[in-house]
Amino acid sequence: MKRLGSTRAAALLGITGGAAVLAAILRWVQLSNDIKSNGAVLPGRYLYLVIAVLSVAVLAALAVLIRPLRRQTRWEEIFSGGKLPNILHIASAVCFVIGGVMLYYASLPKTEDEALALTQLQKTMNLLIPLLGAACAVTLVAFARKCLRHEKPSPLLYMIVSIYLVVRLIVNFQKWSTDPSLNDFVYHLFAAISCMLAAFQLAGFSFGKGKRRITLFWSLCAVYFSAISVIDCLCGRANDAGIQVALLLTMAASSLQLLCNPAQNEPEGKTL
């Protein structure tokens, strides 16, 4: 039965990782060759459909493989002091800081006219997002420290990340709505929603009310869509790449923690 659990965990990680790399490559090719400057797809190009079909297939495969996993609700049943996930959390914290600095300097007006055009709300949000990112960095380091000591983290740590993700989604959506080319932001939107739902579900484990299956599903979805979003950033919004890498590493670390113990991957109702 241990072998069955290990195989299932390896399949989940392999499918997510392999599909994320493949989708990222396809997205790079698409953005380099198939997209006009206004975000429209060139006639006769269908790579966007290939990525869409791949995405649906990945989500279906994850749902099927995750469903038989045993239910776990308490933090102690899931998370461990394993080094790799916590190293990823610390690496993610570094990326949050770097990404926040890049975003802040990118938001600074380049000319006097741009400075005059900024409203007080825009100035506040341009400062708030990097500050919340720095708070997330501190949170992730604190979380990794707790895990390495086998101590249950405070739900507040998850709440800080959740608040950051909600604010970031609102700010980004305001920008997307001004130039509504769906192909430009659809994977950013999916990544943001997946990260937000995963962070919300992760908080439940500190209350003893966690839902392992749905949490793992959203965490793996976040890894997949974040990988595509990193390519989007590099091809057009490089200043946001650091944050997107940070989110990818955070969700990868959470996914590993949810799958780190092979005994936990047994089908429900069976024991070793």
Side-chain angles (χ1 to χ4, degrees):
M1 290 186 184
K2 279 188 177 182
R3 183 175 299 175
L4 174 62
S6 299
T7 301
R8 188 177 297 277
L12 283 165
L13 295 174
I15 288 173
T16 304
V21 171
L22 176 58
I25 293 172
L26 292 175
R27 183 65 169 168
W28 183 285
V29 173
Q30 182 197 16
L31 293 175
S32 301
N33 302 291
D34 297 0
I35 305 294
K36 296 180 181 179
S37 58
N38 62 359
V41 179
L42 291 170
R45 307 295 177 89
Y46 299 101
L47 198 53
Y48 72 96
L49 285 176
V50 176
I51 300 175
V53 171
L54 174 63
S55 300
V56 172
V58 169
L59 299 188
L62 293 180
V64 170
L65 287 171
I66 288 173
R67 184 173 177 77
L69 296 182
R70 295 176 66 181
R71 295 180 181 179
Q72 305 287 356
T73 59
R74 293 184 296 110
W75 188 89
E76 297 84 354
E77 296 174 317
I78 296 293
F79 298 95
S80 71
K83 290 184 178 180
L84 179 57
N86 293 301
I87 288 173
L88 290 178
H89 274 130
I90 294 173
S92 175
V94 174
C95 290
F96 264 119
V97 173
I98 295 173
V101 172
M102 292 173 64
L103 279 178
Y104 176 71
Y105 280 104
S107 67
L108 293 177
K110 307 299 185 295
T111 64
E112 186 175 348
D113 290 339
E114 288 184 7
L116 293 174
L118 287 176
T119 65
Q120 185 58 46
L121 178 60
Q122 289 174 320
K123 293 177 182 179
T124 301
M125 296 309 295
N126 288 341
L127 180 61
L128 180 61
I129 294 297
L131 287 177
L132 285 175
C136 284
V138 174
T139 293
L140 291 171
V141 172
F143 181 83
R145 184 169 176 268
K146 285 282 188 179
C147 287
L148 288 171
R149 293 185 172 189
H150 300 281
E151 299 174 357
K152 183 169 67 174
S154 167
L156 179 62
L157 298 182
Y158 294 107
M159 295 305 178
I160 292 173
V161 177
S162 297
I163 291 171
Y164 169 76
L165 291 170
V166 171
V167 173
R168 181 172 179 267
L169 178 59
I170 293 172
V171 172
N172 282 341
F173 197 80
Q174 287 177 334
K175 297 177 182 177
W176 298 334
S177 62
T178 61
D179 185 19
S181 177
L182 184 62
N183 194 62
D184 276 349
F185 66 84
V186 62
Y187 293 108
H188 276 296
L189 179 60
F190 289 158
I193 292 173
S194 297
C195 289
M196 194 168 56
L197 291 173
F200 177 79
Q201 293 290 341
L202 283 165
F205 288 99
S206 292
F207 292 106
K209 297 183 181 296
K211 297 179 180 179
R212 183 183 179 222
R213 297 169 182 172
I214 192 63
T215 306
L216 180 59
F217 177 78
W218 287 121
S219 296
L220 292 175
C221 286
V223 170
Y224 174 78
F225 288 121
S226 292
I228 303 176
S229 296
V230 169
I231 299 301
D232 284 4
C233 293
L234 294 176
C235 288
R237 288 181 290 271
N239 293 320
D240 204 28
I243 299 298
Q244 208 60 57
V245 171
L247 292 173
L248 190 155
L249 293 175
T250 300
M251 292 300 126
S254 297
S255 299
L256 286 172
Q257 287 177 316
L258 288 162
L259 287 167
C260 64
N261 184 356
Q264 294 173 346
N265 301 314
E266 297 297 329
E268 186 180 9
K270 296 183 179 181
T271 57
L272 297 180

